[in-house]
Amino acid sequence: DNFRLISDGSEKHAKGTEVNGFYICAHCGVTLKINNKKQIHLPMGTFYNFKEDEKVTHKKYIGFEKFTKVKN
């Protein structure tokens, strides 16, 4: 029971590339804080491939002013 998410091809991930983490935003994009330092904006339906030791610490959906802490 080892499931993997494989990209079907996009501007950032070649077809067949394993995607090791993602967020699903049904109605809007999101900005993520990685390790409480780096910020990444993901439009709706976009994948971000996490690098080793990267963890999401906060998230903020479009239309909101403040980040919310993510429980790991």
Side-chain angles (χ1 to χ4, degrees):
D1 296 289
N2 190 6
F3 296 101
R4 294 186 177 150
L5 180 62
I6 305 297
S7 174
D8 62 355
S10 71
E11 61 191 51
K12 295 184 180 181
H13 301 290
K15 187 173 185 173
T17 302
E18 184 175 342
V19 179
N20 63 4
F22 67 96
Y23 270 78
I24 298 174
C25 299
H27 301 290
C28 65
V30 66
T31 300
L32 304 174
K33 278 190 183 179
I34 307 295
N35 297 346
N36 208 21
K37 296 177 185 176
K38 180 177 171 183
Q39 289 188 20
I40 300 169
H41 173 70
L42 300 176
M44 182 175 57
T46 303
F47 288 94
Y48 175 74
N49 194 21
F50 291 98
K51 283 116 182 123
E52 189 173 338
D53 296 328
E54 284 187 332
K55 292 184 180 180
V56 176
T57 58
H58 298 78
K59 66 182 176 183
K60 177 176 70 169
Y61 292 102
I62 291 177
F64 290 84
E65 293 185 22
K66 296 183 179 183
F67 282 90
T68 303
K69 188 171 183 172
V70 174
K71 296 177 184 179
N72 290 324

